[in-house]
Amino acid sequence: MKQRGADRLRAFETIRRFGTVPSTGAYRRRHFDLISRVDAHPDFAGTAAIFHSSFWYLLKARQMGLVEARDFVEQCMSRCHVHRPSGKLQDIIDFALSERRHKAPRVKNSDLYAGAFKDIVARMPLDLDTLALVGGLFREAYLVCSLETAGFLKRSLLDLLEKYTSQEWLGDAGSELCQQAERHILFWQLTPDFLEEEIYDEWPPAAVARPLMQLNEATRSLISQENELYDRLVRKRMVKMLKSR
């Protein structure tokens, strides 16, 4: 039976209860763009920019190849009014810099990249489009194995994410958004299917980041006792936790 009047679910109640995506006007029962209407209200200006940001594309945690990552970065750069020089333009810039190097110490390319990046980001608003650009740049650098650049971009993204999600208007949702963004943007390839294979004994990035050990008689002895020692450690932590209450 079709519900009417006060019994009918309103648009925002449907979105809240069922997690549906707001209509852009193509829905059979609603022939207007709900996001545009909300954005037009003076109390909610900026809603459309948040809703339509490329940032959400990264949060889908889907596999992304190099060509797709490059295209995504180019779209983000265009949206954020950022340009990456061509090889020819970079040669011109490098030549101009070399002309001045006798007056100043030589600077590494990685330092030049970091300096230019920080200067550009400092001029950009702290919004989802900026996060999308940095996240896309990270994926692209990771996929071409420019690992020093990828490491720098990862640290920059985490810093920007923390600042963005700490804003008061996000409330408790900020912490959840930060965690989801970190996991889906930085570890997008670790899909549920991948994790279910249990290739490692815990979260893969944590496993491969463990400090290595020299395999000798001492470490072999430690390895042979690791289960027993771990059980002792757990019991000790439990006792300590109970005493602290």
Side-chain angles (χ1 to χ4, degrees):
M1 179 177 177
K2 186 176 180 180
Q3 294 179 322
R4 297 179 181 278
D7 296 324
R8 190 176 66 224
L9 283 175
R10 303 299 176 181
F12 293 106
E13 180 65 8
T14 301
I15 293 168
R16 184 186 70 82
R17 287 181 58 180
F18 302 108
T20 57
V21 176
S23 170
T24 57
Y27 184 54
R28 59 184 176 81
R29 294 174 57 187
R30 190 176 299 115
H31 303 292
F32 60 86
D33 189 333
L34 182 60
I35 300 302
S36 295
R37 287 199 176 186
V38 172
D39 189 68
H41 192 286
D43 292 342
F44 305 106
T47 298
I50 293 174
F51 182 82
H52 294 299
S53 175
S54 302
F55 176 79
W56 306 114
Y57 183 81
L58 287 181
L59 256 65
K60 292 180 180 179
R62 58 189 300 277
Q63 294 286 348
M64 180 181 282
L66 179 56
V67 173
E68 187 179 358
R70 181 206 60 193
D71 291 346
F72 179 81
V73 166
E74 288 181 351
Q75 293 169 12
C76 289
M77 288 193 295
S78 176
R79 193 166 185 169
C80 295
H81 306 290
V82 174
H83 180 72
R84 178 161 54 194
S86 66
K88 290 181 180 178
L89 181 54
Q90 189 60 53
D91 283 345
I92 295 170
I93 295 171
D94 288 344
F95 178 78
L97 290 174
S98 68
E99 292 290 288
R100 302 187 314 189
R101 277 175 184 157
H102 68 281
K103 300 178 182 179
R106 185 179 180 86
V107 181
K108 294 194 305 181
N109 287 339
S110 58
D111 292 336
L112 289 173
Y113 181 94
F117 175 90
K118 291 176 181 177
D119 181 62
I120 286 175
V121 170
R123 300 168 186 267
M124 295 170 63
L126 181 60
D127 59 17
L128 294 183
D129 285 348
T130 297
L131 295 177
L133 171 62
V134 181
L137 287 168
F138 162 78
R139 287 198 179 183
E140 183 186 39
Y142 177 92
L143 288 169
V144 299
C145 296
S146 182
L147 301 184
E148 186 174 4
T149 302
F152 167 76
L153 291 167
K154 174 186 175 181
R155 294 188 295 274
S156 300
L157 177 62
L158 290 174
D159 180 59
L160 290 170
L161 267 175
E162 183 176 356
K163 291 178 180 176
Y164 182 85
T165 57
S166 296
Q167 295 179 97
E168 187 176 351
W169 67 271
L170 276 167
D172 295 337
S175 177
E176 177 65 20
L177 177 61
C178 187
Q179 292 178 20
Q180 291 297 322
E182 178 180 348
R183 187 161 208 162
H184 290 169
I185 296 176
L186 299 179
F187 307 106
W188 78 96
Q189 74 277 32
L190 301 185
T191 60
D193 290 340
F194 178 91
L195 295 177
E196 287 170 4
E197 294 178 8
E198 297 183 351
I199 298 175
Y200 300 96
D201 60 347
E202 65 167 326
W203 176 234
V208 301
R210 296 172 190 150
L212 302 179
M213 304 169 64
Q214 183 70 46
L215 187 59
N216 51 35
E217 289 303 315
T219 52
R220 287 190 178 94
S221 175
L222 185 61
I223 292 167
S224 68
Q225 302 176 68
E226 69 175 61
N227 291 330
E228 179 185 348
L229 293 172
Y230 183 77
D231 290 340
R232 289 183 189 176
L233 176 62
V234 171
R235 288 195 295 270
K236 186 175 181 179
R237 285 177 174 171
M238 288 294 293
V239 170
K240 186 177 181 179
M241 182 180 68
L242 292 172
K243 287 182 177 179
S244 65
R245 288 183 177 180

